[in-house]
Amino acid sequence: MNQAQRRDFFATLKAHNPAPTTELNYSSPFELLIAVILSAQATDVGVNKATDKLYPVANTPEKILALGLDGLKQYIKTIGLFNSKAENVIKTCKILIEQHNSQVPENREALEALPGVGRKTANVILNTVFKHPVIAVDTHIFRLSNRTGLAKGKTIKAVEDKLMKVVPKEYLLDAHHWLILHGRYVCLARKPKCDTCCVTQYCDYYRDQQRRQSRSVS
């Protein structure tokens, strides 16, 4: 995929979804932070089911701390790895209260110092809450970027670095959401839905498949 095709690729995604956003339910930066911590190796649907019950009861660092570890677990026990996630959430709440006046920091170093928060989670918060032009690369975006030729790389960080270089600036702010949604619903791992994909004309994988088919026919 060349740079002109990358621009058209994102222009097409934007035309189909002008205002992409996360599928996690939240109404404050803190709620999104906790939801993203809980979403590791879990689905957004599963996290939403838990937080839809948790947040009406406790949606601030102080209120979650008041629940206590065992109390918090009762709300998130349907989520994978809930024991370790509960511990991370409680520790994160304490740090936010003690070091950040109960506010989610707009700083990568401070975010990544929170238990349960790595580079990907920090990027989600910086992008979705604070509108920083960064891209959180998950398995969907890693797969899509390599498959389509948008940004090839052998590691998550390599793909992130390549995306930051090649995504046109006017699309960088929303690129994370466009890519994750396309990877989640169209460019699937086992059987990508090329027949309903809006960007096949720019995709290396689709062109390779078409060439193979034409060779087999001839």
Side-chain angles (χ1 to χ4, degrees):
M1 190 185 298
N2 60 40
Q3 198 59 20
Q5 290 172 328
R6 289 187 180 99
R7 188 175 300 278
D8 291 340
F9 176 94
F10 281 103
T12 303
L13 291 179
K14 181 177 182 178
H16 282 75
N17 187 0
T21 189
T22 179
E23 293 186 310
L24 290 169
N25 295 339
Y26 74 100
S27 59
S28 70
F30 175 73
E31 286 187 4
L32 181 60
L33 174 63
I34 299 307
V36 179
I37 291 174
L38 296 177
S39 72
Q41 300 181 46
T43 66
D44 287 0
V45 172
V47 172
N48 287 338
K49 287 181 179 178
T51 57
D52 284 350
K53 295 178 181 178
L54 170 64
Y55 290 158
V57 176
N59 66 341
T60 67
E62 290 82 1
K63 288 179 180 178
I64 286 184
L65 270 185
L67 282 179
L69 184 61
D70 291 337
L72 175 59
K73 286 180 181 180
Q74 292 305 306
Y75 287 96
I76 67 170
K77 61 185 179 182
T78 56
I79 299 173
L81 306 175
F82 74 92
N83 283 310
S84 60
K85 289 177 181 178
E87 292 178 2
N88 285 334
V89 167
I90 292 293
K91 292 175 184 176
T92 286
C93 288
K94 289 179 180 178
I95 293 173
L96 291 177
I97 293 169
E98 294 170 359
Q99 299 181 22
H100 302 288
N101 196 29
S102 298
Q103 300 299 306
V104 176
E106 187 179 352
N107 174 282
R108 177 183 300 282
E109 186 177 354
L111 284 168
E112 291 187 20
L114 299 172
V117 177
R119 184 177 183 85
K120 183 178 73 174
T121 297
N123 278 347
V124 172
I125 300 303
L126 290 171
N127 178 255
T128 306
V129 173
F130 299 112
K131 305 305 178 185
H132 290 207
V134 296
I135 299 175
V137 177
D138 70 346
T139 55
H140 295 298
I141 295 179
F142 181 81
R143 177 182 67 252
L144 182 153
S145 296
N146 276 288
R147 177 184 278 163
T148 62
L150 176 65
K152 293 186 176 181
K154 293 183 178 180
T155 66
I156 295 288
K157 186 63 166 59
V159 168
E160 179 189 335
D161 290 343
K162 185 67 180 291
L163 285 170
M164 293 301 294
K165 290 179 181 178
V166 302
V167 175
K169 288 185 179 180
E170 63 267 35
Y171 300 115
L172 197 52
L173 183 61
D174 290 322
H176 164 74
H177 296 301
W178 281 318
L179 294 177
I180 196 171
L181 291 171
H182 198 70
R184 184 175 290 168
Y185 296 111
V186 181
C187 197
L188 307 182
R190 293 186 179 179
K191 193 175 181 181
K193 297 180 179 180
C194 297
D195 55 334
T196 60
C197 177
C198 62
V199 289
T200 51
Q201 64 267 45
Y202 315 116
C203 175
D204 291 355
Y205 172 82
Y206 182 76
R207 283 196 296 272
D208 289 343
Q209 293 297 104
Q210 294 298 102
R211 290 194 196 101
R212 291 194 186 97
Q213 289 179 12
S214 55
R215 287 196 200 104
S216 63
V217 170
S218 59

